[in-house]
Amino acid sequence: MMTLLLASAVAFPIDPRPELADVFEKAGVTGAIVVYDTSTGRAVASDPKRVDEPAIPASTFKIFNTMVALETGAIADEKTVLKWDGVERTFANWNKDMDMKEAMRVSCVWFYQELARRAGPGKMQHWLDAVGYGNRDLGGGIDRFWLDGDLRISPRQQIDFLRRLHDGKLPFSERSMRIVKEILPTEKTPGGAVVHGKTGWGARLKPQAGWYVGWVDLEGRTLYFATRVDIMKDDDVKARIPATLEVLGRMEGGLPPGQR
């Protein structure tokens, strides 16, 4: 599996920045971040050894799953409502009918499991192969493979996937890429920067992986990021976004003070 992951990863230079690890230390967690800067064509990494380390994508896979659902007709558009099945789940805001825009915002698992079932394993595998997403492994079941199954993706692969999405260079239609970019959650900073990103929490595996992946468009450049925190206790998930924003602020020409 590791061989396939490394072979399918797009290479870009990595500059070690071990001092960035202090954002995780201050939060009392273990983690790592990779930030790719389009203005230099290089990335910085708090721990270069983890750049190609694979992990379950968890809810970061909703980005990919959205486009597959739109391409296959599993759902018509982001405004189409799916009926709640009546099963009470852990998070109260999942227990209702909702459209895809809300499902992305609240990271509703049952909604995206239904979309994957509607697309089916054959079409899902086609798109995994066409995009080259992670290790492309559907093992574990059509509605589980990205949650606790065999799908794995590295931080480098996350960034490559996001770059192609941002630039409209994935094999999906322009419409599908546009819709997922429009519904992707954002963090708006006081200075006006908009950080587009998706969290993920692989809570069903040990060790648990907590992701935050996305990008921020600045003047004439884009910073792409992939942050992963080792979740040892539930509160550790809170470190993902603040740690990422702090690192983006330390990048040369990144988020100015007061925006983080």
Side-chain angles (χ1 to χ4, degrees), residues 183-204:
I183 68 173
L184 199 62
T186 59
E187 294 287 326
K188 295 184 178 180
T189 67
V194 178
V195 180
H196 305 262
K198 184 69 191 77
T199 56
W201 182 2
R204 297 173 176 83

Side-chain angles (χ1 to χ4, degrees), residues 123 159 202:
K123 292 178 180 178
I159 288 175

Side-chain angles (χ1 to χ4, degrees), residues 47-59:
D47 185 351
K49 292 182 294 185
R50 301 191 71 173
V51 170
D52 294 303
E53 182 182 79
I56 198 85
S59 283

